[in-house]
């Protein structure tokens, strides 16, 4: 029953909310954000706990103000995503500006593949739609299978409608990691969201002074294929979302493939951490993130597996860190703003 209700809610969002006048839609989702913030459910409490690590010197009033802005940013993502299917290229261009996008076009023009690696910031569906409509490049990402299957199909159709190639994390007829590598070796573009991986295969990194685990997939794919690894950060600034495509993270000259991937993953985390520090309200991390917040059993890392390359992780309505020891391209939450699983 709950699965059918969730599926119906998403269907309503994409069929009805996209036709609301934009001022009404913005007001509605801001009100929903404020209601969730005032109720201070588990996800809001978790968001505030995460924000205290981002801003350790902040007082409680500042944390509460940041969490309110964070919930508004999170629900803004929802509002925009429900309306994206009816936005034309001009509307998308007016809503998103990005520095460093020439790094994408230059890399692809050279015949190299590129991996764009993003944290849970801003609205990466909007950024992806901009890449397709403005730069003219389709790209490949990964989606986690969901129940009911109709909900998974809705998310795949939504992202494919924006110009993305969406691969299933599991249950596909071919290897997802193999397909991603094939696309990159052919000079294609892969986009993965990768700042949270609670599986045993995640790579431990220092993130704002404490240990977290993130997917190794983006870096591993770059090591495997020779593709450029380009970190991306996103944030909202008034009515516009802004972003930066940062300089390529080079593959180290020394070390095993796993060691190289680990070093590159730490470099990714450093770029993302700077972005989160600058725009904490736009980091939609409503779940446990640092290892210190996890149960003791979940903090134990997986045994080293030599040079094996990690595969892709969750990309769907509940990208909560499930992974085949690797990268993540995630999507909106199933559980909504009051659920512990409420991350995209």
């Amino acid at each position: 029953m709950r699965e059918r209700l969730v599926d119906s809610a998403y269907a309503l969002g994409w069929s009805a909310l996209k036709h609301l006048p934009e001022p009404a839609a913005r007001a509605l989702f801001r009100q929903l954000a404020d209601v969730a913030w005032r109720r201070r459910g588990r996800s809001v409490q978790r968001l505030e706990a995460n924000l205290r690590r981002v801003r350790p010197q902040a007082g409680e009033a500042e944390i509460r103000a940041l969490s309110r802005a964070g919930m508004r940013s999170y629900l803004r993502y929802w509002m925009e995503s429900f309306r994206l299917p009816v936005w034309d290229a001009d509307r998308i261009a007016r809503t998103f500006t990005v520095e460093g996008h020439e790094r994408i076009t230059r890399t692809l023009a050279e015949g190299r593949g590129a991996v764009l690696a993003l944290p849970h910031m801003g609205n990466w569906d909007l950024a992806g739609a901009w890449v397709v409509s403005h730069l003219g490049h389709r790209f490949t990402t990964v989606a986690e299978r969901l129940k009911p299957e109709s909900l998974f199909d809705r998310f795949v159709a939504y992202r494919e409608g924006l110009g993305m190639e969406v691969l299933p994390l599991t249950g596909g007829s071919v290897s997802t990691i193999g397909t991603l590598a094939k696309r990159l070796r052919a000079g294609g573009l892969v986009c993965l969201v990768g700042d949270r991986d609670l599986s045993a295969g995640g790579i431990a990194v220092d993130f704002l002074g404490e240990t977290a685990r993130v997917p190794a997939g983006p870096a591993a794919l770059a090591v495997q294929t020779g593709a450029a690894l380009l970190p991306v950060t996103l944030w909202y600034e008034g009515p516009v979302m802004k972003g930066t495509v940062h300089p390529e993270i080079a593959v180290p000259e020394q070390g095993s493939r796993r060691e190289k991937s680990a070093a590159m993953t730490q470099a990714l985390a450093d770029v993302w951490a700077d972005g989160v520090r600058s725009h904490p309200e736009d980091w939609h991390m409503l779940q446990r993130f640092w290892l210190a917040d996890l149960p003791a059993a979940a903090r134990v890392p997986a045994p080293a597996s030599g040079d094996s390359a990690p595969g892709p992780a969750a990309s769907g309505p509940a990208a909560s860190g499930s992974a085949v020891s690797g990268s993540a391209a995630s999507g909106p939450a199933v559980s909504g703003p009051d659920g512990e699983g409420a991350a995209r």
Side-chain angles (χ1 to χ4, degrees), residues 40-201:
R40 209 160 180 266
R42 285 183 298 170
S43 286
V44 174
Q45 293 179 46
R46 174 49 50 193
L47 176 61
E48 291 178 354
N50 291 338
L51 288 169
R52 289 187 189 97
R53 283 197 164 89
V54 179
R55 293 281 177 85
Q57 306 304 319
E60 196 58 23
E62 182 180 348
I63 294 299
R64 282 295 282 163
L66 279 174
S67 70
R68 185 179 194 180
M71 291 306 295
R72 287 180 172 184
S73 175
Y74 180 56
L75 268 292
R76 176 175 172 174
Y77 161 83
W78 278 99
M79 186 277 296
E80 291 176 346
S81 294
F82 283 133
R83 299 175 68 83
L84 259 176
V86 297
W87 284 7
D88 60 19
D90 288 342
R91 179 68 174 86
I92 292 170
R94 293 197 309 270
T95 308
F96 181 47
T97 62
V98 57
E99 294 183 356
H101 60 81
E102 66 278 358
R103 294 187 173 103
I104 302 173
T105 53
R106 184 170 59 243
T107 300
L108 298 180
E110 293 170 352
R112 291 179 70 199
V115 180
L116 300 184
L118 304 84
H120 285 82
M121 293 185 75
N123 184 343
W124 48 91
D125 285 334
L126 172 57
W130 184 90
V131 167
V132 174
S133 65
H134 186 77
L135 297 186
H137 294 295
R138 288 177 59 87
F139 62 88
T140 305
T141 188
V142 179
E144 181 182 20
R145 286 199 175 277
L146 305 166
K147 293 182 179 180
E149 188 74 14
S150 58
L151 180 58
F152 172 75
D153 291 340
R154 289 186 196 281
F155 272 92
V156 170
Y158 160 62
R159 289 195 166 92
E160 288 182 341
L162 299 178
M164 310 176 191
E165 178 189 21
V166 182
L167 305 177
L169 173 63
T170 59
S173 59
V174 295
S175 162
T176 294
I177 190 67
T179 302
L180 293 174
K182 180 179 178 181
R183 298 288 183 270
L184 291 169
R185 290 191 177 104
L189 184 63
V190 167
C191 298
L192 300 170
V193 177
D195 60 343
R196 184 175 186 269
D197 185 355
L198 302 186
S199 75

Side-chain angles (χ1 to χ4, degrees), residues 2-20 29 78 81-83 85-86 146 148-155 157-158 317 332-334:
R2 182 180 182 276
E3 291 176 351
R4 289 198 298 272
L5 289 174
V6 169
D7 183 43
S8 298
Y10 279 92
L12 175 65
W14 276 305
S15 64
L17 293 176
K18 65 186 178 183
H19 296 301
L20 278 180
F29 277 76
W78 278 99
S81 294
F82 283 133
R83 299 175 68 83
V86 297
L146 305 166
E149 188 74 14
S150 58
L151 180 58
F152 172 75
D153 291 340
R154 289 186 196 281
F155 272 92
Y158 160 62
V334 172

Side-chain angles (χ1 to χ4, degrees), residues 212-263:
R213 269 205 300 267
V214 301
L221 283 165
V223 172
Q224 268 190 297
T225 66
L229 178 59
L230 300 174
V232 178
T233 52
L234 305 171
W235 67 93
Y236 287 120
E237 196 167 299
V240 175
M241 185 176 77
K242 293 191 174 183
T244 299
V245 180
H246 298 269
E248 176 183 352
I249 294 176
V251 178
E253 295 183 2
Q254 304 296 323
S256 67
R257 286 170 66 177
R258 186 174 183 85
E259 289 169 341
K260 292 176 180 178
S261 295

